[in-house]
Each structure stands twice: as C-alpha cells, then as structure tokens.
Amino acid sequence: QVQLVESGGGLVQAGGSLRLSCAASGSIVSINVMGWYRQAPGKQRELVATITSGSSTNYADSVKGRFTISRDNAKNTVYLQMNSLKPEDTAIYYCNADLIALPGYKYLERWGQGTLVTVSS
C-alpha cells in the first residue's frame, strides 16, 4: 500500500511564504517524477511544478521565480517552497508521484489527499 501524505498548508498574508512537504511511504522500489498540482474553487486542477529523480524541474509560468520544488530521494519526500504568495495562489495543493512498487515491480501513480493554502490580501 503506497501512500502520499502532505503537510505544511495554512493561512498566510500576501507576500508571505509557506513550505509544503509530501512523503511517500509503502513498498516503493523507485520514484520517477514527483510533483505538485493545485485546484482553486471552481477551477480545474493544474500543474504547479514537477521534479524528476535526476532533479530536472518544470514549473507553471504563473509560479516561476516564486516557487521552488525539491526532493530528498533517500526520504521519498518532495517539497514546495512558496515565496511571494499571491491571493490567486489560494487552492488545495496535491502531491503526485509516478513510482515502481512491490509486489511485482508495478508502475503506479499516486495522489496525496491535498493540503489547503489560503493567501489573504
């Protein structure tokens, strides 16, 4: 049973910072891509940032220069440092991982339960 558990959301004023964490647990052989997505009220889920096992990163244009994604492969954990937050960053943030798990070296995609980030103006 592979699970992703997020933490670090909360309420912050515009211009402030938050750091999200997501830890993967279970019978994991390897994790390829880990990422963060978000869904604002009334909108579709959208990509925020992704990072490969080799630390190649990709960001949505709306967060470039403000957010930084990183990972600790030894801990199967991905982080999202969010600076200069804006009210439009308010959303539920979801962690995602593409991984290989036992038994059977199966390919799996897993999502976390989401963590709410609220940015007040």
Side-chain angles (χ1 to χ4, degrees), residues 68-119:
T68 301
I69 190 169
S70 61
R71 63 190 280 177
D72 184 334
N73 291 329
K75 296 181 179 179
N76 288 335
T77 299
V78 63
Y79 306 95
L80 185 68
Q81 178 66 44
M82 304 185 293
N83 298 329
S84 302
L85 282 161
K86 304 175 181 180
E88 52 263 43
D89 294 317
T90 295
I92 299 174
Y93 284 70
Y94 297 91
C95 175
N96 174 271
D98 291 337
L99 54 92
I100 303 295
L102 296 175
Y105 292 86
K106 292 180 294 188
Y107 166 79
L108 299 175
E109 181 186 24
R110 286 291 180 265
W111 291 88
Q113 80 285 356
T115 186
L116 178 62
V117 172
T118 304
V119 184

Side-chain angles (χ1 to χ4, degrees), residues 15-32:
S17 298
L18 281 175
R19 188 189 194 214
L20 306 183
S21 300
C22 171
S25 63
S27 301
I28 297 169
V29 175
S30 62
I31 303 177
N32 183 16

